Amino acid sequence: MKFVIQRVSKASVSVAKKIVGEIQNGFLVFVGVCDTDTYEIADKMVSKLLNLRIFSDENGKTNLDLKKVNGGLLIISQFTLYADCRKGNRPSFTKAGNPDYANEMYEYILKKCSDEIPHVAHGTFGEHMEVSLINDGPFTVILDSDEICK
């Protein structure tokens, strides 16, 4: 499982030119799932995400987590995080999770986040989406379960 997390001052996602999810201050999170991911892995990744201290405190130090700043989450499925570009110039996506399983894991992640964060917005699984954001920093962090869940 892979999460690409961007600290944003605002972000939105549209499907067919209609906004389906938006947040102000918080995290825009792109989620990639592979077939070997489990609920246990998802739990660890969500815990790391929600406790990630990358918001500035009163001294300008990155010391505050999402809850401390009353931040929102915009979570978007993105199978392309599993692009394999080792051979040729056209990426292979064979490492990305089966769509049905990936959607199940994505819905699980949304539920786990919603249990702890009041404002969780999301994209539409399997749809062509347009994402707009203002990256605050810029500040981008990548979480990979191969590293987080060892």
Side-chain angles (χ1 to χ4, degrees):
M1 189 171 292
K2 296 181 183 188
F3 289 1
V4 174
I5 303 159
Q6 295 187 316
R7 186 180 72 186
V8 298
S9 54
K10 68 179 178 177
S12 66
V13 60
S14 299
V15 174
K17 305 292 184 200
K18 180 182 178 210
I19 293 176
V20 296
E22 63 185 329
I23 62 167
Q24 295 302 311
N25 185 49
F27 293 156
L28 167 61
V29 184
F30 296 103
V31 175
V33 173
C34 72
D35 287 332
T36 58
D37 288 327
T38 63
Y39 292 108
E40 180 182 16
I41 288 171
D43 289 343
K44 289 179 182 177
M45 294 288 283
V46 166
S47 177
K48 183 63 84 170
L49 167 69
L50 298 182
N51 292 294
L52 199 60
R53 297 180 355 201
I54 62 172
F55 289 97
S56 298
D57 65 14
E58 65 278 356
N59 298 315
K61 302 286 184 191
T62 52
N63 232 359
L64 303 177
D65 64 25
L66 201 57
K67 293 176 193 173
K68 293 266 198 240
V69 300
N70 197 29
L73 285 169
L74 175 56
I75 303 175
I76 298 174
S77 63
Q78 189 171 2
F79 75 94
T80 61
L81 294 180
Y82 276 95
D84 183 349
C85 299
R86 291 177 294 174
K87 295 181 181 177
N89 294 316
R90 183 172 181 233
S92 167
F93 299 103
T94 58
K95 291 184 180 182
N98 169 284
D100 290 337
Y101 185 67
N103 189 32
E104 178 182 326
M105 293 302 292
Y106 175 66
E107 293 293 332
Y108 180 79
I109 290 164
L110 290 174
K111 168 85 172 77
K112 293 295 283 190
C113 290
S114 295
D115 289 345
E116 296 198 40
I117 302 297
H119 184 63
V120 177
H122 56 86
T124 306
F125 188 90
E127 292 291 331
H128 178 87
M129 294 176 273
E130 294 179 344
V131 180
S132 297
L133 68 134
I134 297 179
N135 190 316
D136 181 18
F139 208 123
T140 303
V141 174
I142 300 172
L143 298 182
D144 188 327
S145 62
D146 287 345
E147 297 169 1
I148 302 299
C149 299
K150 282 186 179 179

